[in-house]
């Protein structure tokens, strides 16, 4: 089990519906018990709270699932918010048997609370059933906010058009209401024709910009966003429209004290092997979101998470130079099963590639690595060596990054048991791995020269 990132023992953390209140983040989420596999046994919503993304308190069941015959046999994702003197949750009631019975399998439902701990189902007769022309089997994940410009509530949800499942008809649709009771369907909010389905839609504003976030599982299984000066678009696609790679999904954002965070999960792999495919649900971890000067969004490690490590040690600077080969240097340090590492890497010359390895076996060279390919302008997670083919299923475990000769890059890495998170230049890249061939850390370069300075490693967590 991870020691820093959150996962209640015996369960796997699913989609999160965060809400901030009185200095506390309320993490409403699903807990899958993998009995006997993901989505095997129905679940409701559970609740955990945190102030710092380091310490968590389990509050147990927040919305209990319905019976096997009821609409909310499973309670899929939704959103929590405060309005009309109460706390509200709009959520997706899903019954996997209903489609075969000619009923809508996914319907939006409502619950209220006075204390944010227990939510009572209202069983309101809401007019949120799937609209004509949309797939009733993919109609979920409502998100609600108050639109000050029009003095009304706006509800987004993810869906797709009625079409073959492989058709790229995924879209975000929306309803409006003056009072949370009477809702009017308005049609498509964002329909780019790029994905088969939109999940976990989110909408928020920072300064002059509106941001619409969705999770998609048909192109690269990742979270993407669009930006606009208007709440209804037109939506601009930034050059890098993602926050992380394949191993971070279904995150919603929430803000407190002027800071906004992503609340998502790192998936496990089938059979707990590096070659296994990713599964639904896993381990919770948070990114902090910030706005760049051009309006695009970046992510960084929350200070509370970074500063919870102790026993920091500074390592000697390293200069690595190679010509026509790959050269690596291994600091005299052991990593342990939970650590953080940061370093400043300067590209003295043009380089073909460079990278950072961890859990390296110094005898046979096996390791995991974050590999920066300068000419391809991307960083990827992989296992080294990738022999015999293949050692790690890493499709989608990459991020774009522009690298220049003479520039310096600050790299931060957190490794927590089977999860690693890289931060550099406002991008993040999570990964899940299992074998741990060794304990060493190394840096390498091919065809060029790099200097690695200000190397710090810290192992273990403060109490």
């Amino acid at each position: 089990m991870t020691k820093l990132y959150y996962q209640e023992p015996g369960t796997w953390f699913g989609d999160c519906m965060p809400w901030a209140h009185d200095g506390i983040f309320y993490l409403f989420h699903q807990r899958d018990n993998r009995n006997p596999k993901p989505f095997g046994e129905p679940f409701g919503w559970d609740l955990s709270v945190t102030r710092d993304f380091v310490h968590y308190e389990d509050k147990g069941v927040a919305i209990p699932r319905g019976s096997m015959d009821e609409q909310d046999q499973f309670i899929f994702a939704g959103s929590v918010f405060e309005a009309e003197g109460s706390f509200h949750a709009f959520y997706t009631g899903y019954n996997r048997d209903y489609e075969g019975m000619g009923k809508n399998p996914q319907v939006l439902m409502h619950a209220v609370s006075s204390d944010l701990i227990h939510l009572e189902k209202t069983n309101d007769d809401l007019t949120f059933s799937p609209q004509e022309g949309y797939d009733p089997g993919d109609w979920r994940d409502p998100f609600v906010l108050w639109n000050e410009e029009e003095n009304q509530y706006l509800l987004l949800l993810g869906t797709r058009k009625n079409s073959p499942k492989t058709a790229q008809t995924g879209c975000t649709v929306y309803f409006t209401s003056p009072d949370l009771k009477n809702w009017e369907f308005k049609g498509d909010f964002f329909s780019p024709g790029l994905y088969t389905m939109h999940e976990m839609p989110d909408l928020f504003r920072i300064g002059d910009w509106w941001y619409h976030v969705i999770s998609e599982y048909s192109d690269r299984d990742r979270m993407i966003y669009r930006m606009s000066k208007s709440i209804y678009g037109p939506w601009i696609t930034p050059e890098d429209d993602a926050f992380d790679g394949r191993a971070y999904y279904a995150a919603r954002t929430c803000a407190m004290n002027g800071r906004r965070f992503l609340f998502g999960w790192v998936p496990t792999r089938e059979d707990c092997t590096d070659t296994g495919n990713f599964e639904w649900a896993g381990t919770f971890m948070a990114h902090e979101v910030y706005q760049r000067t051009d309006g695009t969004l970046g992510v960084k490690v929350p200070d509370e998470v970074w500063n919870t490590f102790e026993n920091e040690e500074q390592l000697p600077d390293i200069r690595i130079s190679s010509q026509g080969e790959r050269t690596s240097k291994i600091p005299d340090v052991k990593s342990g099963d939970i650590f953080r590492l940061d370093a400043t890497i300067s590209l003295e010359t043009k380089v073909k590639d460079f990278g950072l390895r961890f859990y390296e076996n110094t005898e046979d060279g096996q390791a995991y690595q974050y590999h920066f390919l300068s000419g391809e302008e991307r960083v990827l997670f992989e296992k080294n060596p990738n022999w015999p083919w293949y050692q790690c299923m890493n499709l989608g475990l990459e991020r774009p990054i522009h690298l220049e000769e003479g520039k310096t890059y600050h790299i931060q890495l957190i490794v927590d048991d089977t999860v690693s998170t890289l931060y550099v230049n406002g991008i993040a890249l999570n990964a899940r791995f299992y074998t741990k061939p060794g304990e060493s850390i190394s840096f390498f370069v091919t065809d060029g020269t790099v200097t690695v300075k200000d190397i710090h490693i810290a192992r273990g967590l403060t109490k």
Side-chain angles (χ1 to χ4, degrees):
M1 291 291 293
T2 53
K3 299 176 176 64
L4 173 62
Y5 298 150
Y6 179 65
Q7 186 177 345
E8 194 65 20
T11 70
W12 286 258
F13 195 103
D15 299 350
C16 186
M17 286 61 65
W19 184 251
H21 183 69
D22 287 345
I24 298 172
F25 284 113
Y26 290 75
L27 279 57
F28 297 91
H29 63 282
Q30 303 138 347
R31 290 180 184 170
D32 195 345
N33 61 16
R34 301 282 168 90
N35 185 19
K37 59 183 180 179
F39 293 109
E41 187 173 305
F43 46 71
W45 280 11
D46 284 82
L47 172 64
S48 300
V49 298
T50 184
R51 293 178 181 271
D52 55 12
F53 306 112
V54 176
H55 304 94
Y56 296 85
E57 182 182 353
D58 175 27
K59 295 293 187 179
V61 176
I63 308 179
R65 68 175 182 86
S67 69
M68 296 299 286
D69 297 328
E70 291 182 291
Q71 176 70 60
D72 56 355
Q73 179 191 78
F74 286 82
I75 299 185
F76 277 6
S79 63
V80 176
F81 59 99
E82 186 176 8
E84 311 292 326
S86 298
F87 299 103
H88 297 258
F90 282 95
Y91 62 92
T92 309
Y94 169 63
N95 190 307
R96 60 186 167 195
D97 304 316
Y98 272 17
E99 190 166 8
M101 301 165 61
K103 300 180 181 180
N104 288 327
Q106 298 187 8
V107 172
L108 304 196
M109 305 180 76
H110 183 214
V112 296
S113 174
S114 60
D115 61 5
L116 268 178
I117 303 297
H118 304 96
L119 292 100
E120 299 294 330
K121 301 175 185 178
T122 64
N123 296 313
D124 295 342
D125 185 19
L126 299 174
T127 56
F128 285 135
S129 57
Q131 301 292 301
E132 185 177 354
Y134 297 89
D135 188 341
D138 285 308
W139 184 263
R140 57 182 176 270
D141 306 345
F143 176 82
V144 178
L145 79 162
W146 176 251
N147 182 359
E148 295 182 354
E149 296 175 359
E150 297 181 348
N151 203 36
Q152 63 182 352
Y153 295 99
L154 178 68
L155 183 147
L156 306 179
L157 64 88
T159 185
R160 61 190 312 280
K161 301 291 175 60
N162 255 332
S163 58
K165 291 293 187 182
T166 54
Q168 294 167 302
T169 62
C171 53
T172 308
V173 297
Y174 73 113
F175 293 79
T176 59
S177 170
D179 56 10
L180 297 179
K181 296 178 181 178
N182 301 289
W183 293 90
E184 181 181 356
F185 181 63
K186 294 292 189 177
D188 290 353
F189 182 83
F190 174 56
S191 182
L194 294 172
Y195 314 110
T196 65
M197 175 65 186
H198 290 192
E199 293 192 304
M200 298 293 283
D202 193 355
L203 183 66
F204 59 89
R205 187 176 188 173
I206 302 178
D208 295 332
W209 288 99
W210 283 96
Y211 300 93
H212 178 39
V213 179
I214 65 164
S215 295
E216 58 81 19
Y217 57 73
S218 59
D219 181 40
R220 299 184 184 180
D221 281 298
R222 59 181 185 158
M223 296 178 55
I224 61 98
Y225 77 96
R226 297 292 186 265
M227 50 196 292
S228 174
K229 291 292 183 72
S230 167
I231 192 171
Y232 295 114
W235 297 103
I236 299 169
T237 304
E239 184 175 344
D240 176 12
D241 65 349
F243 300 99
D244 203 320
R246 169 64 180 87
Y248 190 72
Y249 196 71
R252 279 268 172 74
T253 73
C254 188
M256 184 166 62
N257 299 328
R259 301 167 67 194
R260 184 168 290 273
F261 300 88
L262 277 169
F263 295 74
W265 44 266
V266 179
T268 51
R269 292 179 181 267
E270 292 174 344
D271 301 320
C272 296
T273 62
D274 289 343
T275 55
N277 207 344
F278 291 108
E279 301 172 300
W280 182 84
T283 306
F284 169 77
M285 63 86 62
H287 294 309
E288 184 168 352
V289 179
Y290 68 93
Q291 187 184 59
R292 300 185 179 100
T293 55
D294 63 357
T296 61
L297 299 177
V299 292
K300 60 183 180 180
V301 55
D303 289 341
E304 297 89 338
V305 173
W306 189 255
N307 294 333
T308 196
F309 285 84
E310 61 180 0
N311 301 319
E312 182 177 273
E313 176 183 355
Q314 182 163 357
L315 307 180
D317 295 345
I318 297 172
R319 187 173 186 270
I320 314 172
S321 186
S322 78
Q323 183 65 44
E325 62 181 7
R326 177 166 295 167
T327 302
S328 64
K329 289 191 177 181
I330 303 176
D332 184 19
V333 64
K334 302 299 182 185
S335 60
D337 62 358
I338 179 168
F339 66 93
R340 74 165 204 217
L341 177 79
D342 71 316
T344 299
I345 298 182
S346 300
L347 307 187
E348 291 189 18
T349 65
K350 182 179 180 180
V351 300
K352 182 180 185 298
D353 61 61
F354 65 94
L356 163 65
R357 293 184 182 138
F358 62 97
Y359 287 148
E360 182 168 7
N361 184 317
T362 55
E363 293 185 2
D364 62 14
Q366 290 190 67
Y368 297 100
Q369 64 186 26
Y370 282 97
H371 191 180
F372 293 80
L373 296 106
S374 302
E376 300 178 25
E377 296 198 334
R378 63 187 178 121
V379 54
L380 67 151
F381 176 87
E382 62 189 4
K383 199 168 183 181
N384 177 71
N386 195 18
W387 179 89
W389 178 264
Y390 61 102
Q391 290 293 297
C392 180
M393 200 292 289
N394 70 341
L395 184 65
L397 298 186
E398 63 177 75
R399 299 286 286 116
I401 184 169
H402 181 63
L403 301 165
E404 295 183 37
E405 175 185 349
K407 293 293 182 68
T408 296
Y409 302 91
H410 183 222
I411 293 175
Q412 295 174 285
L413 174 69
I414 293 176
V415 176
D416 185 5
D417 192 39
T418 61
V419 178
S420 65
T421 314
L422 176 79
Y423 292 95
V424 57
N425 274 32
I427 67 171
L429 183 55
N430 267 294
R432 175 81 73 170
F433 53 88
Y434 290 99
T435 61
K436 300 181 183 177
E439 290 187 280
S440 293
I441 293 168
S442 69
F443 298 89
F444 65 87
V445 67
T446 307
D447 280 342
T449 302
V450 299
T451 301
V452 188
K453 297 182 177 181
D454 301 320
I455 311 170
H456 301 90
I457 187 170
R459 308 172 195 81
L461 307 176
T462 58
K463 301 299 183 182

